[in-house]
Amino acid sequence: MTQRARIFQPPRTAMQSGMAGTAQWVLDYVSNTPNHTDPLMGWSGGGDTQSQVRLRFDTKEEAIAFAEANFLLYELELPQARRIKPKAYADNFKVTRWENWTH
């Protein structure tokens, strides 16, 4: 059975405004077995420990080279381009402001 992996750049969390920790590429192993629920505690788990492994690489090419060297089938997820809308505090007080003032 061939192991599968997913290569992606992690998005920023909802609790951070900056882009810290999103420059690296991550290789996650995809579990081949479905998770099951523990009857006593109700926790979900599985017997595949590879799904707990998360490898980090500086470049996308390094992650792809690792996957190909270890005969992994991989999916490459390219990040969406981030659009930054320029904002200025002075725009709140423009005469040509279209929105109503809300305070």
Side-chain angles (χ1 to χ4, degrees):
M1 185 182 327
T2 307
Q3 186 73 29
R4 296 180 318 156
R6 184 175 78 132
I7 299 172
F8 64 99
Q9 263 188 316
R12 65 183 180 93
T13 64
M15 298 302 294
Q16 73 186 116
S17 60
M19 298 300 290
T22 61
Q24 291 184 330
W25 287 83
V26 175
L27 185 139
D28 270 345
Y29 287 96
V30 178
S31 179
N32 291 332
T33 60
N35 286 346
H36 62 273
T37 305
D38 181 48
L40 179 63
M41 299 297 291
W43 297 340
S44 64
D48 188 14
T49 58
Q50 280 293 89
S51 63
Q52 300 173 8
V53 176
R54 176 174 272 199
L55 302 174
R56 296 185 179 273
F57 298 93
D58 290 331
T59 63
K60 171 178 60 172
E61 290 76 22
E62 289 178 5
I64 291 173
F66 177 84
E68 290 175 349
N70 291 298
F71 305 107
L72 300 173
L73 295 175
Y74 63 90
E75 291 181 20
L76 182 65
E77 297 178 9
L78 297 174
Q80 293 183 354
R82 184 175 177 212
R83 294 185 315 246
I84 300 175
K85 189 170 28 172
K87 301 178 201 169
Y89 180 69
D91 291 343
N92 292 330
F93 306 102
K94 287 172 92 173
V95 176
T96 58
R97 181 183 167 105
W98 287 56
E99 301 94 26
N100 290 334
W101 184 260
T102 56
H103 270 325

